Amino acid sequence: MKAFVSNLLRFKSLRFKPLRFALSALLSCFSLALFVSSAQADPLRIGVTLHPYYSYVANIVGDKAEVVPLIPQGFNPHAYEPRAEEIKRVGSLDVVVLNGIGHDDFAERMIAASENPSLPVIEANRNVPLLPAVGSMSQGRNGSGKVVNAHTFLAVTGAIRQIQTIARELGQLDPDNADSYRRNAREYSRKLRRIRAEALSQLASIDNVELRVATIHGAYDYLLREFGLEVTAVVEPAHGIEPSPAQLARTIDDIRRLDVQVIFSELHFPSTYVDTIRRETGVRLYPLSHVISGDYRAEKFEQEMAENFATVVRAILDTREAGQ
Amino acid sequence: MASVVVRPAGARQETAWLLLLCALILLVSAAIVAWRVVPDESRQIEIWQLDARVDLNAAEQGVNADLQAAADEILWALEEGSTPTPEQLAADWIPPFIEDVASAERGGHHWQLQSLGHELAYIGLSEQTATAGHFLLRVEAPDAGHSHEGAAPTSVWIKRDGSAAESERVALNNMELSNLELSNNALIAAGWQQVVSHFDASVTRGTGGGL
């Protein structure tokens, strides 16, 4: 190789123009080939905004691409403000996978402020049938149906639909690995379906799963639909907003009036007012994981969702046992 | 002798200025809000379509979401040369084909597969029509070369029964299914409605493009 390059470098001394032209063309082709092969060899750098998307993408790409979280570990995405170094990192990405329906609005602003404002994005929820937003402040806006519940990632069906979309669009960006992405997506979806099937099989002896449910955060509608359950009341008046004392008093009245049997609270975001609700209503609380805190791991989503399914199963069985 | 006018202690003037300032701020804010308001565009769908978000009940929303996810799995299987039956899909834990407590809560659909021309029809007859209607998943074979009537290769349809008695309903549906024709017009004429859903990006997001 060295000899070849040194020969090429000496071509300036050549007086014969056609030969110089031919060598110049050869050098250009050689450089282009080197550039293309190095570009192909570079794995995609895929940005993600939330922990579930880290798990989805990590399982889809395996070792064929790099998954880069936009938010550093330890930050709550409900109240995240990007910092300069995080915006700078966005410029080095090839694509960003977005929730896009209300849980990562900061991402688009980060992309716009980065060195690569035309960075492509994958709208993971593009093909998910979305549910309306929940909470007393959202209800008045549901007529238009435009304000949607952003927590599609907290359910197996919602997750699978997003995994399918992400795998397909990553395959378009990286056709060499498209088959691998699709194969991995199917395998991962199967693993997630098994979690749901195993949880539901524990309720096989129950003919009628009736449970009046309230949730602190409006995050679990998609998950509870997988059990055929609907949420009766949501404590937070809007996504990530704590209730005022007056709203809290109204919610407590609603929980009593609607005879709510179970409240699902937040595992990693405890709030002091939750104790007030428990004390005032006497309803049992079961904490669920929002899967948006802690370390970024490929297996995080499946592990925490398995715990969530187990928690809902336990709540149903406890309530039946208590004869409510 | 010099006289100095001493005004009585009080904040009347300051209060007046403050109130004026507040009124000005409110006025400017209201003007900005009025200027920036975006008209609420209602999405138009055809009369023979239902919006999954607002026109379906909770049980139907669950079945529809599961069918949408299952459709991709079926398409992938078809591309590999196999036609998955409802039983095979259930064995692979793919809802809504798997029978579990959720399927029972959502109407207890019984699934069957019909192959009609270049299309497959996965038909789910509801056991409890008061809970959820009958469902139909249309899947076009990948080698058919064209999407059904210009649309995506899969679509979900629903049919809600009137007031017929349960036994009559099943008999009626079985007879109907033997004559099922998979075209939009035929399905609409038979009382089926297509379930459509649309993507709405967060309202607090700027405009951005996908891939």
Side-chain angles (χ1 to χ4, degrees):
Chain A
M1 173 68 81
K2 269 186 181 174
F4 176 71
V5 173
S6 62
N7 282 337
L8 284 174
L9 289 174
R10 276 191 283 133
F11 88 105
K12 271 190 171 179
S13 62
L14 296 171
R15 305 276 170 133
F16 192 43
K17 275 189 180 173
L19 185 57
R20 189 193 289 183
F21 177 77
L23 272 173
S24 172
L26 185 68
L27 183 63
S28 303
C29 291
F30 181 68
S31 312
L32 186 67
L34 271 179
F35 173 77
V36 169
S37 68
S38 72
Q40 283 174 343
D42 281 347
L44 283 182
R45 278 173 57 80
I46 306 162
V48 292
T49 53
L50 304 169
H51 292 71
Y53 295 94
Y54 182 91
S55 297
Y56 301 165
V57 179
N59 278 281
I60 291 168
V61 300
D63 57 1
K64 308 269 189 224
E66 190 183 348
V67 193
V68 183
L70 264 56
I71 307 183
Q73 195 174 314
F75 284 79
N76 180 352
H78 289 115
Y80 172 68
E81 286 298 330
R83 295 176 302 182
E85 65 262 34
E86 289 141 23
I87 294 172
K88 188 168 167 46
R89 195 165 53 232
V90 171
S92 69
L93 301 173
D94 296 303
V95 60
V96 175
V97 175
L98 293 182
N99 165 271
I101 53 172
H103 226 300
D104 53 10
D105 289 354
F106 53 83
E108 217 171 39
R109 291 191 282 272
M110 288 174 82
I111 294 169
S114 74
E115 290 165 2
N116 185 8
S118 58
L119 185 66
V121 297
I122 293 176
E123 300 280 3
N125 277 297
R126 188 185 294 286
N127 299 313
V128 180
L130 303 171
L131 296 177
V134 290
S136 56
M137 277 166 66
S138 309
Q139 278 164 7
R141 307 177 69 181
N142 284 350
S144 68
K146 281 198 164 185
V147 186
V148 296
N149 190 331
H151 303 90
T152 48
F153 54 86
L154 283 173
V156 163
T157 299
I160 289 173
R161 201 75 186 107
Q162 292 181 80
I163 290 161
Q164 291 166 342
T165 301
I166 296 167
R168 189 179 302 111
E169 297 203 10
L170 283 179
Q172 287 167 10
L173 277 177
D174 183 10
D176 289 347
N177 290 315
D179 284 345
S180 168
Y181 294 160
R182 187 165 89 166
R183 203 169 41 248
N184 291 345
R186 289 187 75 183
E187 193 51 47
Y188 185 47
S189 300
R190 194 165 193 271
K191 200 190 276 188
L192 297 179
R193 283 199 304 269
R194 187 172 184 167
I195 291 171
R196 167 180 156 154
E198 284 178 353
L200 290 173
S201 69
Q202 293 176 49
L203 302 171
S205 59
I206 297 176
D207 353 307
N208 194 4
V209 185
E210 269 191 14
L211 194 67
R212 289 180 297 281
V213 172
T215 61
I216 299 296
H217 189 59
Y220 305 106
D221 290 58
Y222 294 98
L223 169 65
L224 293 167
R225 289 285 160 99
E226 310 218 78
F227 287 84
L229 294 172
E230 271 191 275
V231 178
T232 306
V234 178
V235 175
E236 281 185 356
H239 186 214
I241 307 290
E242 286 205 359
S244 67
Q247 286 167 331
L248 187 58
R250 268 201 302 277
T251 306
I252 288 171
D253 286 344
D254 286 345
I255 289 171
R256 287 191 187 125
R257 183 173 51 82
L258 299 167
D259 194 18
V260 167
Q261 296 162 303
V262 165
I263 298 173
F264 290 111
S265 58
E266 291 292 307
L267 186 62
H268 298 296
F269 303 103
S271 299
T272 48
Y273 70 85
V274 175
D275 287 333
T276 311
I277 295 173
R278 188 203 333 238
R279 199 173 53 244
E280 291 294 318
T281 62
V283 177
R284 276 195 303 274
L285 257 67
Y286 292 85
L288 293 174
S289 170
H290 199 311
V291 203
I292 54 165
S293 63
D295 50 349
Y296 288 92
R297 289 179 293 117
E299 62 278 12
K300 182 182 180 71
F301 179 75
E302 68 205 57
Q303 287 172 352
E304 297 197 12
M305 282 305 285
E307 287 164 18
N308 280 348
F309 271 94
T311 303
V312 178
V313 167
R314 198 171 67 247
I316 293 169
L317 293 177
D318 285 355
T319 308
R320 289 186 77 83
E321 209 170 275
Q324 286 187 14
Chain B
M1 186 175 149
S3 65
V4 177
V5 179
V6 179
R7 291 182 185 279
R12 194 176 300 165
Q13 207 173 359
E14 285 84 346
T15 306
W17 280 113
L18 199 64
L19 284 174
L20 193 68
L21 184 67
C22 290
L24 192 70
I25 290 170
L26 281 174
L27 207 65
V28 171
S29 309
I32 290 172
V33 168
W35 177 53
R36 300 267 301 167
V37 76
V38 178
D40 191 13
E41 292 166 22
S42 58
R43 196 175 293 265
Q44 294 295 321
I45 58 171
E46 301 292 338
I47 196 160
W48 45 273
Q49 294 179 324
L50 292 176
D51 186 331
R53 198 179 306 163
V54 292
D55 297 331
L56 300 188
N57 65 32
E60 292 167 343
Q61 282 172 337
V63 176
N64 174 55
D66 284 344
L67 279 176
Q68 303 275 358
D72 258 33
E73 289 287 340
I74 294 168
L75 277 176
W76 282 341
L78 289 172
E79 282 173 25
E80 288 169 358
S82 66
T83 303
T85 62
E87 293 74 25
Q88 287 166 333
L89 293 166
D92 205 14
W93 306 302
I94 295 179
F97 303 100
I98 184 169
E99 280 184 30
D100 55 26
V101 69
S103 68
E105 288 293 311
R106 292 166 170 180
H109 292 83
H110 296 287
W111 293 94
Q112 53 182 283
L113 169 63
Q114 286 195 22
S115 182
L116 299 161
H118 61 275
E119 276 195 57
L120 298 173
Y122 291 85
I123 304 150
L125 287 182
S126 174
E127 215 172 55
Q128 302 144 28
T129 47
T131 306
H134 309 299
F135 273 89
L136 162 66
L137 170 65
R138 290 171 70 185
V139 182
E140 185 158 4
D143 57 355
H146 60 279
S147 302
H148 53 250
E149 298 177 35
T154 64
S155 61
V156 174
W157 295 69
I158 189 171
K159 185 177 180 188
R160 289 164 171 158
D161 268 354
S163 56
E166 194 64 39
S167 54
E168 284 174 18
R169 267 184 222 145
V170 175
L172 181 74
N173 283 313
N174 282 335
M175 193 175 75
E176 246 179 49
L177 292 179
S178 60
N179 298 316
L180 190 69
E181 191 188 330
L182 286 186
S183 72
N184 282 4
N185 288 339
L187 288 171
I188 294 163
W192 290 89
Q193 288 176 289
Q194 188 184 3
V195 180
V196 293
S197 48
H198 51 266
F199 174 70
D200 279 313
S202 169
V203 290
T204 50
R205 227 178 106 180
T207 51
L211 279 173

